[in-house]
Amino acid sequence: SQQGEEDPQALSIQEGENATMNCSYKTSINNLQWYRQNSGRGLVHLILIRSNEREKHSGRLRVTLDTSKKSSSLLITASRAADTASYFCATDGVGSGGSNYKLTFGKGTLLTVNP
Amino acid sequence: DAGVIQSPRHEVTEMGQEVTLRCKPISGHNSLFWYRQTMMRGLELLIYFNNNVPIDDSGMPEDRFSAKMPNASFSTLKIQPSEPRDSAVYFCASRGTSGGVLADTQYFGPGTRLTVL
């Protein structure tokens, strides 16, 4: 079953605007990651936030995590046409040993940034 | 670093034929993952290996699918016989063992787009 669910499924904005994507998950996690996929390409890791962190920044990316609500958001500021891609959240499961677990991906948010 | 290498990039075959997808993980990585991506089901984990040993193959759809990792630098995913519903993009990903964020990050190959007619 799908662990992470992104919202919205699709988002279209103008260059320079901010884009916010949300992810909800169901079970306890060690960490949550965001990946980007350009059309016809593999996924590229963007940022990882651990379960004991609430916010993390990387360049124009800002990720928040609310473990009480089992949700995360990815904010891309000052968007560019090159940010056009699908964005996926991925969660690991807390299992015995607690680490090095497989990731479960959501179905993604398709972001279109219009020039 | 060449990244994760997959071959072929595109494969078109007829129903009933055997298909073999290949993956070379990043050197030094000890975990390898095979995923399938379709519009309907999204990205699904098929199987993952740790130190060349299959750890979890619960995502493998059925007996027609098999995966091997004979050594740390090579893995195959085989479908025999193939069916039209197997049409998808198949990704291989690898992960290293160093501590911190790098240990939890998966590095994806470019994928193999499989079309079964």
Side-chain angles (χ1 to χ4, degrees):
Chain A
S1 62
Q2 218 69 24
Q3 166 74 315
E5 294 287 343
E6 292 89 348
D7 168 56
Q9 291 186 344
L11 179 63
S12 181
I13 60 174
Q14 294 300 122
E15 210 166 23
E17 294 179 342
N18 295 342
T20 300
M21 289 158 273
N22 303 298
C23 170
S24 59
Y25 57 92
K26 297 175 183 175
T27 63
S28 297
I29 60 172
N30 289 313
N31 62 62
L32 184 144
Q33 304 180 44
W34 285 90
Y35 286 77
R36 182 186 73 210
Q37 183 180 32
N38 289 88
S39 180
R41 309 288 290 274
L43 279 74
V44 175
H45 179 262
L46 294 176
I47 194 167
L48 178 152
I49 186 166
R50 300 206 180 279
S51 60
N52 61 353
E53 297 176 309
R54 292 296 168 260
E55 187 171 314
K56 204 160 184 181
H57 296 255
S58 176
R60 293 184 297 113
L61 305 180
R62 172 179 169 246
V63 170
T64 62
L65 179 64
D66 187 335
T67 53
S68 66
K69 295 181 179 178
K70 291 187 169 57
S71 67
S72 172
S73 68
L74 171 68
L75 169 67
I76 303 174
T77 60
S79 63
R80 306 165 181 168
D83 295 328
T84 294
S86 290
Y87 292 81
F88 296 85
C89 69
T91 53
D92 69 344
V94 176
S96 60
S99 63
N100 286 342
Y101 241 78
K102 61 185 180 183
L103 294 179
T104 304
F105 288 81
K107 290 195 174 181
T109 292
L110 176 59
L111 173 66
T112 302
V113 181
N114 301 299
Chain B
D1 191 340
V4 176
I5 299 173
Q6 290 187 248
S7 65
R9 293 294 310 277
H10 302 273
E11 177 80 30
V12 180
T13 190
E14 292 187 348
M15 183 174 64
Q17 296 297 306
E18 177 179 297
V19 175
T20 299
L21 311 181
R22 297 173 176 79
C23 174
K24 177 178 168 52
I26 292 173
S27 177
H29 283 190
N30 70 331
S31 292
L32 183 139
F33 305 80
W34 281 102
Y35 292 90
R36 178 173 67 177
Q37 186 177 39
T38 61
M39 288 294 293
M40 289 296 294
R41 300 174 68 88
L43 197 65
E44 303 173 280
L45 177 66
L46 300 177
I47 185 170
Y48 87 94
F49 294 85
N50 194 46
N51 292 324
N52 311 339
V53 177
I55 302 299
D56 185 347
D57 65 354
S58 60
M60 296 287 262
E62 47 198 273
D63 292 345
R64 297 184 297 107
F65 286 68
S66 63
K68 294 182 179 180
M69 192 165 186
N71 57 62
S73 60
F74 184 65
S75 177
T76 59
L77 177 67
K78 186 176 293 186
I79 308 172
Q80 166 64 18
S82 59
E83 298 182 3
R85 59 193 169 119
D86 302 330
S87 297
V89 182
Y90 291 81
F91 289 102
C92 175
S94 69
R95 185 182 68 189
T97 58
S98 57
V101 172
L102 293 178
D104 296 315
T105 298
Q106 294 187 19
Y107 296 84
F108 282 74
T112 294
R113 182 173 295 275
L114 173 65
T115 303
V116 183
L117 304 174

PDB file of all heavy atoms in Angstrom, chain B residues 60-81:
ATOM      1  N   MET B  60       7.754  -8.383  -5.894  1.00  0.00           N
ATOM      2  CA  MET B  60       7.820  -9.053  -7.195  1.00  0.00           C
ATOM      3  C   MET B  60       6.425  -9.565  -7.540  1.00  0.00           C
ATOM      4  O   MET B  60       5.834 -10.348  -6.781  1.00  0.00           O
ATOM      5  CB  MET B  60       8.819 -10.212  -7.143  1.00  0.00           C
ATOM      6  CG  MET B  60      10.235  -9.763  -6.880  1.00  0.00           C
ATOM      7  SD  MET B  60      10.977  -8.973  -8.300  1.00  0.00           S
ATOM      8  CE  MET B  60      11.900 -10.352  -8.971  1.00  0.00           C
ATOM      9  N   PRO B  61       5.898  -9.166  -8.694  1.00  0.00           N
ATOM     10  CA  PRO B  61       4.486  -9.421  -8.997  1.00  0.00           C
ATOM     11  C   PRO B  61       4.128 -10.901  -9.032  1.00  0.00           C
ATOM     12  O   PRO B  61       3.084 -11.296  -8.540  1.00  0.00           O
ATOM     13  CB  PRO B  61       4.273  -8.772 -10.359  1.00  0.00           C
ATOM     14  CG  PRO B  61       5.470  -7.969 -10.648  1.00  0.00           C
ATOM     15  CD  PRO B  61       6.564  -8.408  -9.763  1.00  0.00           C
ATOM     16  N   GLU B  62       4.934 -11.707  -9.615  1.00  0.00           N
ATOM     17  CA  GLU B  62       4.613 -13.123  -9.746  1.00  0.00           C
ATOM     18  C   GLU B  62       5.856 -13.873 -10.178  1.00  0.00           C
ATOM     19  O   GLU B  62       6.921 -13.302 -10.354  1.00  0.00           O
ATOM     20  CB  GLU B  62       3.474 -13.303 -10.754  1.00  0.00           C
ATOM     21  CG  GLU B  62       3.665 -12.534 -12.046  1.00  0.00           C
ATOM     22  CD  GLU B  62       2.356 -12.392 -12.813  1.00  0.00           C
ATOM     23  OE1 GLU B  62       2.035 -13.306 -13.585  1.00  0.00           O
ATOM     24  OE2 GLU B  62       1.678 -11.368 -12.645  1.00  0.00           O
ATOM     25  N   ASP B  63       5.679 -15.179 -10.327  1.00  0.00           N
ATOM     26  CA  ASP B  63       6.832 -16.030 -10.613  1.00  0.00           C
ATOM     27  C   ASP B  63       7.488 -15.724 -11.948  1.00  0.00           C
ATOM     28  O   ASP B  63       8.621 -16.175 -12.184  1.00  0.00           O
ATOM     29  CB  ASP B  63       6.421 -17.502 -10.578  1.00  0.00           C
ATOM     30  CG  ASP B  63       6.050 -17.941  -9.177  1.00  0.00           C
ATOM     31  OD1 ASP B  63       6.381 -17.197  -8.228  1.00  0.00           O
ATOM     32  OD2 ASP B  63       5.433 -19.004  -9.021  1.00  0.00           O
ATOM     33  N   ARG B  64       6.849 -14.978 -12.779  1.00  0.00           N
ATOM     34  CA  ARG B  64       7.461 -14.648 -14.063  1.00  0.00           C
ATOM     35  C   ARG B  64       8.637 -13.697 -13.883  1.00  0.00           C
ATOM     36  O   ARG B  64       9.464 -13.538 -14.766  1.00  0.00           O
ATOM     37  CB  ARG B  64       6.431 -14.005 -14.995  1.00  0.00           C
ATOM     38  CG  ARG B  64       5.264 -14.919 -15.360  1.00  0.00           C
ATOM     39  CD  ARG B  64       4.338 -14.249 -16.374  1.00  0.00           C
ATOM     40  NE  ARG B  64       3.722 -13.039 -15.852  1.00  0.00           N
ATOM     41  CZ  ARG B  64       4.060 -11.811 -16.218  1.00  0.00           C
ATOM     42  NH1 ARG B  64       5.009 -11.624 -17.116  1.00  0.00           N
ATOM     43  NH2 ARG B  64       3.431 -10.772 -15.699  1.00  0.00           N
ATOM     44  N   PHE B  65       8.691 -13.052 -12.731  1.00  0.00           N
ATOM     45  CA  PHE B  65       9.755 -12.104 -12.442  1.00  0.00           C
ATOM     46  C   PHE B  65      10.818 -12.755 -11.556  1.00  0.00           C
ATOM     47  O   PHE B  65      10.493 -13.427 -10.573  1.00  0.00           O
ATOM     48  CB  PHE B  65       9.201 -10.880 -11.709  1.00  0.00           C
ATOM     49  CG  PHE B  65       8.426  -9.937 -12.569  1.00  0.00           C
ATOM     50  CD1 PHE B  65       7.205 -10.298 -13.101  1.00  0.00           C
ATOM     51  CD2 PHE B  65       8.918  -8.666 -12.840  1.00  0.00           C
ATOM     52  CE1 PHE B  65       6.476  -9.418 -13.899  1.00  0.00           C
ATOM     53  CE2 PHE B  65       8.202  -7.775 -13.625  1.00  0.00           C
ATOM     54  CZ  PHE B  65       6.979  -8.149 -14.153  1.00  0.00           C
ATOM     55  N   SER B  66      12.070 -12.527 -11.901  1.00  0.00           N
ATOM     56  CA  SER B  66      13.158 -13.001 -11.062  1.00  0.00           C
ATOM     57  C   SER B  66      14.298 -12.000 -11.120  1.00  0.00           C
ATOM     58  O   SER B  66      14.464 -11.300 -12.110  1.00  0.00           O
ATOM     59  CB  SER B  66      13.643 -14.386 -11.512  1.00  0.00           C
ATOM     60  OG  SER B  66      14.168 -14.324 -12.821  1.00  0.00           O
ATOM     61  N   ALA B  67      15.050 -11.919 -10.047  1.00  0.00           N
ATOM     62  CA  ALA B  67      16.174 -10.986  -9.991  1.00  0.00           C
ATOM     63  C   ALA B  67      17.365 -11.683  -9.361  1.00  0.00           C
ATOM     64  O   ALA B  67      17.212 -12.509  -8.462  1.00  0.00           O
ATOM     65  CB  ALA B  67      15.806  -9.737  -9.200  1.00  0.00           C
ATOM     66  N   LYS B  68      18.523 -11.304  -9.851  1.00  0.00           N
ATOM     67  CA  LYS B  68      19.763 -11.865  -9.324  1.00  0.00           C
ATOM     68  C   LYS B  68      20.789 -10.765  -9.123  1.00  0.00           C
ATOM     69  O   LYS B  68      20.753  -9.728  -9.785  1.00  0.00           O
ATOM     70  CB  LYS B  68      20.335 -12.911 -10.290  1.00  0.00           C
ATOM     71  CG  LYS B  68      19.479 -14.149 -10.443  1.00  0.00           C
ATOM     72  CD  LYS B  68      20.141 -15.139 -11.383  1.00  0.00           C
ATOM     73  CE  LYS B  68      19.289 -16.400 -11.533  1.00  0.00           C
ATOM     74  NZ  LYS B  68      19.907 -17.381 -12.454  1.00  0.00           N
ATOM     75  N   MET B  69      21.702 -11.021  -8.213  1.00  0.00           N
ATOM     76  CA  MET B  69      22.835 -10.123  -8.034  1.00  0.00           C
ATOM     77  C   MET B  69      24.057 -10.992  -7.788  1.00  0.00           C
ATOM     78  O   MET B  69      24.411 -11.275  -6.633  1.00  0.00           O
ATOM     79  CB  MET B  69      22.594  -9.154  -6.882  1.00  0.00           C
ATOM     80  CG  MET B  69      23.593  -8.036  -6.851  1.00  0.00           C
ATOM     81  SD  MET B  69      23.070  -6.680  -5.781  1.00  0.00           S
ATOM     82  CE  MET B  69      24.381  -5.511  -6.141  1.00  0.00           C
ATOM     83  N   PRO B  70      24.684 -11.435  -8.842  1.00  0.00           N
ATOM     84  CA  PRO B  70      25.801 -12.376  -8.699  1.00  0.00           C
ATOM     85  C   PRO B  70      27.043 -11.767  -8.049  1.00  0.00           C
ATOM     86  O   PRO B  70      27.851 -12.509  -7.470  1.00  0.00           O
ATOM     87  CB  PRO B  70      26.085 -12.795 -10.152  1.00  0.00           C
ATOM     88  CG  PRO B  70      25.536 -11.699 -10.991  1.00  0.00           C
ATOM     89  CD  PRO B  70      24.362 -11.154 -10.241  1.00  0.00           C
ATOM     90  N   ASN B  71      27.171 -10.448  -8.149  1.00  0.00           N
ATOM     91  CA  ASN B  71      28.291  -9.779  -7.483  1.00  0.00           C
ATOM     92  C   ASN B  71      27.909  -8.343  -7.180  1.00  0.00           C
ATOM     93  O   ASN B  71      26.817  -7.895  -7.569  1.00  0.00           O
ATOM     94  CB  ASN B  71      29.557  -9.842  -8.358  1.00  0.00           C
ATOM     95  CG  ASN B  71      29.343  -9.245  -9.732  1.00  0.00           C
ATOM     96  OD1 ASN B  71      29.057  -8.061  -9.861  1.00  0.00           O
ATOM     97  ND2 ASN B  71      29.457 -10.074 -10.771  1.00  0.00           N
ATOM     98  N   ALA B  72      28.789  -7.642  -6.528  1.00  0.00           N
ATOM     99  CA  ALA B  72      28.460  -6.298  -6.037  1.00  0.00           C
ATOM    100  C   ALA B  72      28.306  -5.272  -7.145  1.00  0.00           C
ATOM    101  O   ALA B  72      27.841  -4.161  -6.888  1.00  0.00           O
ATOM    102  CB  ALA B  72      29.541  -5.839  -5.058  1.00  0.00           C
ATOM    103  N   SER B  73      28.687  -5.615  -8.349  1.00  0.00           N
ATOM    104  CA  SER B  73      28.665  -4.615  -9.413  1.00  0.00           C
ATOM    105  C   SER B  73      27.667  -4.931 -10.520  1.00  0.00           C
ATOM    106  O   SER B  73      27.676  -4.283 -11.566  1.00  0.00           O
ATOM    107  CB  SER B  73      30.067  -4.460 -10.014  1.00  0.00           C
ATOM    108  OG  SER B  73      30.503  -5.685 -10.550  1.00  0.00           O
ATOM    109  N   PHE B  74      26.788  -5.898 -10.289  1.00  0.00           N
ATOM    110  CA  PHE B  74      25.887  -6.269 -11.374  1.00  0.00           C
ATOM    111  C   PHE B  74      24.621  -6.937 -10.847  1.00  0.00           C
ATOM    112  O   PHE B  74      24.678  -7.788  -9.967  1.00  0.00           O
ATOM    113  CB  PHE B  74      26.620  -7.233 -12.332  1.00  0.00           C
ATOM    114  CG  PHE B  74      25.832  -7.621 -13.541  1.00  0.00           C
ATOM    115  CD1 PHE B  74      25.494  -6.674 -14.494  1.00  0.00           C
ATOM    116  CD2 PHE B  74      25.426  -8.929 -13.742  1.00  0.00           C
ATOM    117  CE1 PHE B  74      24.769  -7.032 -15.631  1.00  0.00           C
ATOM    118  CE2 PHE B  74      24.703  -9.296 -14.868  1.00  0.00           C
ATOM    119  CZ  PHE B  74      24.377  -8.344 -15.822  1.00  0.00           C
ATOM    120  N   SER B  75      23.504  -6.550 -11.455  1.00  0.00           N
ATOM    121  CA  SER B  75      22.232  -7.190 -11.109  1.00  0.00           C
ATOM    122  C   SER B  75      21.380  -7.290 -12.362  1.00  0.00           C
ATOM    123  O   SER B  75      21.499  -6.475 -13.283  1.00  0.00           O
ATOM    124  CB  SER B  75      21.482  -6.383 -10.050  1.00  0.00           C
ATOM    125  OG  SER B  75      20.217  -6.959  -9.766  1.00  0.00           O
ATOM    126  N   THR B  76      20.539  -8.294 -12.401  1.00  0.00           N
ATOM    127  CA  THR B  76      19.601  -8.455 -13.509  1.00  0.00           C
ATOM    128  C   THR B  76      18.185  -8.645 -12.985  1.00  0.00           C
ATOM    129  O   THR B  76      17.975  -9.189 -11.901  1.00  0.00           O
ATOM    130  CB  THR B  76      19.947  -9.675 -14.384  1.00  0.00           C
ATOM    131  OG1 THR B  76      19.917 -10.854 -13.573  1.00  0.00           O
ATOM    132  CG2 THR B  76      21.306  -9.513 -15.025  1.00  0.00           C
ATOM    133  N   LEU B  77      17.246  -8.171 -13.761  1.00  0.00           N
ATOM    134  CA  LEU B  77      15.824  -8.409 -13.522  1.00  0.00           C
ATOM    135  C   LEU B  77      15.288  -9.077 -14.783  1.00  0.00           C
ATOM    136  O   LEU B  77      15.408  -8.523 -15.871  1.00  0.00           O
ATOM    137  CB  LEU B  77      15.081  -7.106 -13.251  1.00  0.00           C
ATOM    138  CG  LEU B  77      13.566  -7.216 -13.048  1.00  0.00           C
ATOM    139  CD1 LEU B  77      13.248  -7.968 -11.764  1.00  0.00           C
ATOM    140  CD2 LEU B  77      12.926  -5.822 -13.020  1.00  0.00           C
ATOM    141  N   LYS B  78      14.732 -10.256 -14.607  1.00  0.00           N
ATOM    142  CA  LYS B  78      14.291 -11.028 -15.755  1.00  0.00           C
ATOM    143  C   LYS B  78      12.789 -11.237 -15.696  1.00  0.00           C
ATOM    144  O   LYS B  78      12.224 -11.499 -14.618  1.00  0.00           O
ATOM    145  CB  LYS B  78      15.010 -12.374 -15.789  1.00  0.00           C
ATOM    146  CG  LYS B  78      14.736 -13.219 -17.016  1.00  0.00           C
ATOM    147  CD  LYS B  78      15.561 -14.499 -17.011  1.00  0.00           C
ATOM    148  CE  LYS B  78      17.031 -14.197 -17.161  1.00  0.00           C
ATOM    149  NZ  LYS B  78      17.832 -15.454 -17.303  1.00  0.00           N
ATOM    150  N   ILE B  79      12.159 -11.132 -16.844  1.00  0.00           N
ATOM    151  CA  ILE B  79      10.724 -11.413 -16.963  1.00  0.00           C
ATOM    152  C   ILE B  79      10.563 -12.491 -18.027  1.00  0.00           C
ATOM    153  O   ILE B  79      10.975 -12.327 -19.163  1.00  0.00           O
ATOM    154  CB  ILE B  79       9.925 -10.155 -17.382  1.00  0.00           C
ATOM    155  CG1 ILE B  79      10.251  -8.974 -16.468  1.00  0.00           C
ATOM    156  CG2 ILE B  79       8.430 -10.459 -17.338  1.00  0.00           C
ATOM    157  CD1 ILE B  79       9.646  -7.655 -16.934  1.00  0.00           C
ATOM    158  N   GLN B  80       9.993 -13.583 -17.617  1.00  0.00           N
ATOM    159  CA  GLN B  80       9.837 -14.704 -18.536  1.00  0.00           C
ATOM    160  C   GLN B  80       8.603 -15.521 -18.153  1.00  0.00           C
ATOM    161  O   GLN B  80       8.602 -16.122 -17.067  1.00  0.00           O
ATOM    162  CB  GLN B  80      11.083 -15.583 -18.514  1.00  0.00           C
ATOM    163  CG  GLN B  80      10.940 -16.960 -19.154  1.00  0.00           C
ATOM    164  CD  GLN B  80      10.646 -16.920 -20.650  1.00  0.00           C
ATOM    165  OE1 GLN B  80      10.871 -15.898 -21.294  1.00  0.00           O
ATOM    166  NE2 GLN B  80      10.125 -18.000 -21.190  1.00  0.00           N
ATOM    167  N   PRO B  81       7.584 -15.612 -18.995  1.00  0.00           N
ATOM    168  CA  PRO B  81       7.420 -14.863 -20.242  1.00  0.00           C
ATOM    169  C   PRO B  81       6.842 -13.471 -19.981  1.00  0.00           C
ATOM    170  O   PRO B  81       6.125 -13.256 -19.013  1.00  0.00           O
ATOM    171  CB  PRO B  81       6.405 -15.730 -20.993  1.00  0.00           C
ATOM    172  CG  PRO B  81       5.555 -16.319 -19.903  1.00  0.00           C
ATOM    173  CD  PRO B  81       6.481 -16.533 -18.730  1.00  0.00           C
TER     174      PRO B  81
END
